[in-house]
Amino acid sequence: MTKIGLLSDTHGYWDDKYLTYFADCDEIWHAGDIGSLVLIQKLAEYKKVRAVYGNIDGQDIRKIYPQVNRFKVDGAEVVIKHIGGYPGKYDPSIQSSLFINPPQLFISGHSHILKVKYDKTLNMLHINPGAAGISGFHKVRTMVRFTIDKGVFKDLEVIELAG
């Protein structure tokens, strides 16, 4: 069983609540627009981090993290891409890859809109954790926690951050 803390679109904004809410997580995943090498290093000093770069991230972050991150955790195949769209409207840059070889979980960011949706066509869960930073149009900052247990996703929690 692996507990995951998921966030996106921090845009360089650090909040100590990231550490508080992810204290019992095994890994932290960042779905892009990290915005600061210091921010992602701080997370990586705390827990194992898996991440992708987003459209605002500079070369310092792009040298460390890929545009697409595909991996397996606790029996589930996962794909993370910052600009990925959502079921029924995947971004063209990832659509064919998802249709040819769908993972069990596809994570994207970029929209700043929290969305958890199951794609029945691809038999795949999609999560966009919304935006944990303060830059953008969103009114509520959000993150997600969930557990992967032998390929099964459970205990999904939406975290709303004040301020």
Side-chain angles (χ1 to χ4, degrees):
M1 187 169 358
T2 308
K3 189 152 189 176
I4 307 300
L6 173 62
L7 73 168
S8 186
D9 295 277
T10 48
H11 291 259
Y13 179 75
W14 177 260
D15 188 331
D16 287 334
K17 291 176 187 163
Y18 302 156
L19 304 184
T20 303
Y21 285 112
F22 294 159
D24 63 343
C25 292
D26 300 300
E27 298 186 9
I28 298 172
W29 299 351
H30 198 301
D33 277 3
I34 297 163
S36 159
L37 195 54
V38 171
L39 181 144
I40 199 72
Q41 288 170 337
K42 220 171 177 178
L43 289 175
E45 288 169 6
Y46 186 61
K47 300 283 181 172
K48 177 177 181 171
V49 168
R50 298 181 196 254
V52 295
Y53 70 78
N55 54 295
I56 67 120
D57 292 317
Q59 289 304 311
D60 55 346
I61 292 170
R62 290 174 188 231
K63 286 179 187 173
I64 301 168
Y65 297 102
Q67 183 177 34
V68 178
N69 197 347
R70 187 176 197 121
F71 53 92
K72 282 192 174 185
V73 172
D74 207 333
E77 190 162 11
V78 179
V79 171
I80 305 176
K81 183 174 188 301
H82 182 61
I83 300 176
Y86 50 88
K89 193 168 172 57
Y90 293 112
D91 190 78
S93 65
I94 193 74
Q95 184 174 356
S96 62
S97 175
L98 293 176
F99 276 82
I100 291 167
N101 187 16
Q104 283 77 43
L105 174 60
F106 177 55
I107 295 169
S108 63
H110 188 63
S111 70
H112 292 219
I113 299 169
L114 172 75
K115 189 175 283 196
V116 178
K117 189 171 183 180
Y118 191 76
D119 185 328
K120 293 177 188 171
T121 304
L122 299 180
N123 196 29
M124 173 180 80
L125 180 63
H126 171 261
I127 302 175
N128 182 325
I134 57 172
S135 298
F137 66 89
H138 58 281
K139 302 270 190 261
V140 179
R141 298 170 44 231
T142 56
M143 305 186 303
V144 173
R145 282 186 302 214
F146 61 96
T147 301
I148 305 172
D149 188 5
K150 298 181 189 89
V152 176
F153 306 105
K154 54 189 186 180
D155 304 326
L156 190 133
E157 304 169 81
V158 172
I159 300 159
E160 292 186 3
L161 299 164

